[in-house]
Amino acid sequence: MRLAQSLVCPAVALALFAGCSPARRNAVDAGPAPKNAGDAGASSAVSADASASTPPFVYSTESFADLRILRYQVHGFDALTLKQKTLLYYLQEASLSGRDITYDQKFAHNLLIRRTLEAVVNHKGMPREPGEYRALVTYLKRMWFSNGIHHHASNRKFLPEGLRPETFAALVREVSIGKLPVAPGETVDQLIARLTPIMFDPTIAVQTVDKDASHDPVSASANHFYVNLTRAAVLDFNKAHDQKGDPTPISLGLNSQLVGKKDGSIEERVWKLGGMYGTALGECLRWLDRAWPIAENEAQAEALRRLATFYRSGDLEDFDRYNVAWVKDNESSIDLIHGFIETYGDPLNMRGTYEAMVELNDTVATRRIRTISEQAQWFEDNSPIAKAFKKEKVVGINARVVQVVMAAGDSAPAMPGGVNLPNADWIRTTHGSKSVTLGNVLEASEAAQQDSGVLEEFAASTREVERARSYGTLARALLVDMHEVIGHASGKLSEGVQDVSSTLGHYGSTLEEARADLVALYYLLDPRLIELKLVPSLEVGRAAYDSFMRGALVQMARVPVGQPLEEAHMRNRQLIAHWVMQEGASDGVIERLERGGKTFFVVREYPKLRKLFGELLTQIQRIKSEGDFESARDLVDSHGVKLEPELHKQIIERYRALRVAPYAGFIQPRLIPVIKDEQVVDVHIEYPTDFAAQQLEYSAKYSFLPTVN
Ligand SMILES: [Zn+2]
């Protein structure tokens, strides 16, 4: 599971937590001096580094379309041993080697479009003035940001705005044919004719994941997981692999594409060495095979070896063996998330989109999360959910704050705020799970957002603003931590009920995120947090409640007028906010304040709101535990999808006036080896400043897939 954009993206994070600097966070934590202490009053995009000799770190670089490009730092890299640095470098290469897979999975023509556009840009250089060529480059930048031509959050196709098809054609014709991804025997004009409708026609390949209940989610989705198939055909195919009653079910379909043949049969193309995506996975393997011999310890070596074994065999039982080994590797400083993990990109929640993330433990912040983890049983015992659905023994929660060293595939450039894996319920129950908060990424988004004015615009009072400034950062950190550590880990399924992906279908991920958020929200106002010295007062919880409701308003700015919510985390937030407003209406729990044509959600009764969070949690836990599809659908469809048109328009206008792009993504740090006599003798870390240059470099170095897969 990812705790994604809802917390990292400016639209929400800003509204929730603007004004709280990393320096203040550390003061509240009473930890050691912050490594990049920003002056609380300093300007947003730059941190005032304590050392006079180092220039301040620039957090934000550019904006285009609805996107902002930020940077983040890895603290303490220089203090690592050469062996650790070398390991990180190998893992970086293993991560980037699979980059093309994500593009191909999201849409069969993504690599064709990207390679054509990159050939144009490599030929012409970066545009110096506004115009249609710049529009082409902006379109390519958006594509890099989303790993394809569908928006990373709405999953909707975006068009090359400001670029006419005839200009596109003329620009492509300037490039020599040898540099273009033409098919064998194809002319440049034929290539252009093939690309033009795919890029410019708004009715073709509209959604990469289509969750519209009136469409067939398989045939209507433009992703490349299924070819010539319908939902019914896929479900029928799955019947042959029925795992009902199996205590250790594999993650069926996680690493394959299904293709409907003319004779009505279905071919399964497995992603493995020698199979589909085999050339890219072979490159990943080359680096993984170098990495495990220099692992920090045997548990880590075992996990990396098991991952390599899985890529060689494509056997999902090997994937489970890998996950078990990975969960056991919890003493290492370095960790890796790599491969086909999350299923958000598949309307049936089965197939995993390629992603990779290299992490380094953050020992200071980990202390806070450990405290929560150690109390997991207390939280479970005191939860409002029905006793029958509580875990008697919460197993193996391994919670940490990490620093991301680099990320690739579906984890970048837009990055999550936290990750909780593995996803298989039986492994989580039997062997435990790992939950990480991505500390340096969250810190960077915050640092970049201090001046935006979103908090002042959407908070109803100066009191709310002050509360957010004083406690917002800690509230956010705790929300993320508790969501991951005690949220996803809480509760159990009734006997014989299968995983949410099989019982609740595409409602599963929305409700799972809602459940985890509700556990966190419920406890954020619990005096127990004061006893545990996690918070100085319940003002932290109140700040969290204010910001959660405010965030439900602000996130509307990220969705175009007239469109419903598609993304699981956004649906979850909308669902919770809408439900508590409705249920708390008669008690005046939340006031909908209209002032000067502006709408505010103001929390009036904090303890009552806490009670409502508990009630909704109880309902959702029951739905998950019993696999109650009808209730899941009713809850999500009636509270989490539709937006009030007038309010939606108002929010977009207010947000637009602030001129803050609603989504943020990151340029990745770059590990550069110093090689002598074929040995890595040192590794430097660099922080590139040019988003386009980084993406062009990636494409030049890590294009390991054919254009058609
Ligand atoms: Zn989550």
Side-chain angles (χ1 to χ4, degrees), residues 1-4 344 418 420 483-484 488 512-513 516-517 569:
M1 301 279 170
R2 268 185 217 145
L3 183 58
Y344 304 113
N420 185 339
H483 173 111
E484 296 293 345
H488 284 305
E512 180 56 22
E513 294 312 316
D517 264 356
H569 294 84

Side-chain angles (χ1 to χ4, degrees), residues 281-298:
L281 290 170
E283 289 296 319
C284 298
L285 276 167
R286 205 157 69 79
W287 294 100
L288 288 175
D289 288 343
R290 288 195 197 185
W292 67 258
I294 58 160
E296 294 173 279
N297 52 54
E298 182 44 36

Side-chain angles (χ1 to χ4, degrees), residues 12 40 66 80 243 375 379 501 516 519 540 655 660 686 708:
V12 177
D66 57 351
L80 298 173
Q243 301 190 84
Q375 298 294 320
F379 287 117
S501 61
V519 171
V540 178
Y655 199 91
V660 185
E686 289 179 2
V708 177

Side-chain angles (χ1 to χ4, degrees), residues 449-462:
Q449 291 157 15
Q450 296 203 5
D451 281 348
S452 72
V454 175
L455 173 62
E456 284 75 6
E457 174 61 35
F458 291 93
S461 62
T462 48

Side-chain angles (χ1 to χ4, degrees), residues 131-312:
E132 286 190 81
Y133 178 52
R134 181 176 281 179
L136 176 143
V137 174
T138 300
Y139 177 69
L140 177 57
K141 284 184 182 175
R142 296 185 71 185
M143 196 178 177
W144 285 325
F145 192 101
S146 298
N147 295 295
I149 62 165
H150 296 87
H151 192 278
H152 74 288
S154 72
N155 295 320
R156 216 177 159 78
K157 180 164 116 177
F158 49 84
L159 298 171
E161 280 163 34
L163 176 68
R164 288 168 303 164
E166 52 272 31
T167 311
F168 165 69
L171 287 164
V172 174
R173 282 192 201 104
E174 285 182 31
V175 183
S176 67
I177 186 164
K179 307 263 185 204
L180 290 168
V182 284
E186 191 177 43
T187 66
V188 173
D189 281 344
Q190 284 167 334
L191 171 72
I192 292 166
R194 194 149 60 96
L195 279 169
T196 304
I198 304 172
M199 286 170 56
F200 291 90
D201 185 338
T203 66
I204 293 175
V206 184
Q207 291 278 149
T208 183
V209 190
D210 193 328
K211 291 181 177 168
D212 186 324
S214 66
H215 297 166
D216 182 300
V218 170
S219 59
S221 296
N223 66 48
H224 202 205
F225 292 135
Y226 306 98
V227 179
N228 297 330
L229 287 168
T230 60
R231 178 170 183 268
V234 175
L235 295 186
D236 195 52
F237 177 83
N238 290 345
K239 272 193 202 141
H241 308 273
D242 187 20
Q243 301 190 84
K244 223 172 237 164
D246 186 341
T248 60
I250 55 164
S251 304
L252 187 67
L254 189 72
N255 66 333
S256 68
Q257 180 196 54
L258 293 184
V259 181
K261 298 295 206 188
K262 282 206 181 85
D263 64 4
S265 65
I266 293 180
E267 183 196 357
E268 181 167 28
R269 303 176 70 207
V270 178
W271 307 328
K272 61 169 187 171
L273 188 67
M276 190 176 181
Y277 303 142
T279 46
L281 290 170
E283 289 296 319
C284 298
L285 276 167
R286 205 157 69 79
W287 294 100
L288 288 175
D289 288 343
R290 288 195 197 185
W292 67 258
I294 58 160
E296 294 173 279
N297 52 54
E298 182 44 36
Q300 186 179 54
E302 175 69 3
L304 291 169
R305 273 197 303 263
R306 292 266 181 208
L307 180 61
T309 301
F310 168 60
Y311 289 144
R312 289 194 163 88

